[in-house]
Amino acid sequence: MNGAEPGELAELAIAVAVRAGRMLTSQRPPGGPHVVGTKSSPTDVVTEMDRASERLIIDRIRDVRPGDAFLSEESGAVRPDTAPPDTVRPDTVRPDTVRPGAARLGTGTQATPAGALVRWIIDPIDGTVNYLYGLPDWAVSIAAERSGRVVAGVVYVPGRGELFSAVRGGGAWLRRESAEGSHAGTEAARPVHCNSGVALSEALVATGFGYEAARRVVQGEVVARLLPRVRDIRRAGSAAVDLCAVAAGRVDAFYERGINYWDHAAAGLIAEEAGATIAGLNGKVAGPDLLIAAGPGLFARLHDLLAALDPERDAPT
Ligand code: IPD
Ligand code: CA
């Protein structure tokens, strides 16, 4: 199918994610990257390196597949190279400004733009604040959608020398870089599986917080009510890494309100292929309102506890 088999898309995503991750590691300025802008709040930053990573990823994929579309954190919806330029910044977009054919943002349910067979969902650095501070949990995340469905996902975590990948129906895989830091694809990949049958009271639950104070007020209330009911809470600073941690059984569950499609498109498939359930509240698909990920047995219990805490709200401003 025009070279758009999920396995081929995954291989391209792996090559490009590794290249971007290496560039981000080798070219990170010694004093930290330069903040070039802010988005939803003064602490929601974009650095020169987020933009450089995004450019590299889109350019490399376009070299190979010029007819594909993109949805990327810093540029928003980018139409195929073969169509007229159409770039919409995600932080400035309003529904009435989205032109026909351009992907709408954040939900992941819109069709791939006309003429494009594949849409790539990109987070050039997930965990930008960790990258800014020199902490290891940040990732390059690349997913490939066909007909609006993610069929391949790659999350590369250079700070840990780990590459997670999945093709729909093919399980979830982890490759480690060798000590010499050689190509992430050169070591044998091993399958990963999420934990199953974990009791809520014994669950290690990861979560994250948005950048806006009104959202954090409620997120703080919810996590305070959850804490006495579970083993413990973790906040690593990258939703993509958190979801891969669910996939690898390093935590038992993850939930967060307010994450964007590019945060979870690739890692969500990886967690799903590792056996986790990913959904929103009360049968909704996972999305900006809420995403919950957990293995068999735990998902329903965590879901019901969260539902009782009414987590899909923000404090009045
Ligand atoms: C953020 C990280 C963080 C999560 C935020 C995301 P960014 O993405 O995934 O863990 O709590 O909701 O926005 O800004 O680093 O790409
Ligand atoms: Ca992100």
Side-chain angles (χ1 to χ4, degrees), residues 28 126-138 235-238:
R28 183 179 182 277
D126 187 51
T128 296
V129 173
N130 283 350
Y131 181 75
L132 187 66
Y133 279 75
L135 291 166
D137 282 331
W138 55 271
R235 198 298 191 239
S238 159

Side-chain angles (χ1 to χ4, degrees), residues 20-92:
R22 295 239 170 105
M23 181 278 289
L24 288 165
T25 305
S26 63
Q27 293 181 28
R28 183 179 182 277
H34 184 50
V35 173
V36 291
T38 57
K39 294 183 278 189
S40 60
S41 84
T43 54
D44 184 4
V45 297
V46 53
T47 74
E48 58 194 333
M49 300 305 283
D50 293 82
R51 292 191 181 159
S53 173
E54 184 173 276
R55 267 196 309 275
L56 183 155
I57 294 166
I58 293 179
D59 288 353
R60 292 282 155 192
I61 294 176
R62 269 191 165 160
D63 284 348
V64 181
R65 302 186 52 84
D68 292 353
F70 297 87
L71 174 65
S72 189
E73 175 159 20
E74 312 308 337
S75 299
V78 181
R79 296 182 70 182
D81 214 11
T82 46
D86 185 358
T87 300
V88 186
R89 281 190 55 74
D91 42 332
T92 57

Side-chain angles (χ1 to χ4, degrees), residues 171-172 190-196 245-251 270-271 273-276:
R190 65 172 177 88
V192 288
H193 304 284
C194 71
N195 297 331
S196 66
V246 172
R250 294 171 182 170
V251 297
I270 292 164
E273 286 293 324

Side-chain angles (χ1 to χ4, degrees), residues 39 50 73-74 122-128 139 141 211 237-240 259-264:
K39 294 183 278 189
D50 293 82
E73 175 159 20
E74 312 308 337
I122 298 162
D123 195 335
I125 304 179
D126 187 51
T128 296
S141 169
Y211 292 105
S238 159
I259 61 175
N260 290 296
Y261 189 38
W262 45 78
D263 299 318
H264 66 85

Side-chain angles (χ1 to χ4, degrees), residues 101-147:
R104 292 270 292 275
L105 301 169
T107 68
T109 55
Q110 284 76 29
T112 305
L117 180 63
V118 170
R119 183 169 72 144
W120 297 88
I121 315 301
I122 298 162
D123 195 335
I125 304 179
D126 187 51
T128 296
V129 173
N130 283 350
Y131 181 75
L132 187 66
Y133 279 75
L135 291 166
D137 282 331
W138 55 271
V140 177
S141 169
I142 304 179
E145 260 185 1
R146 252 180 21 192
S147 309

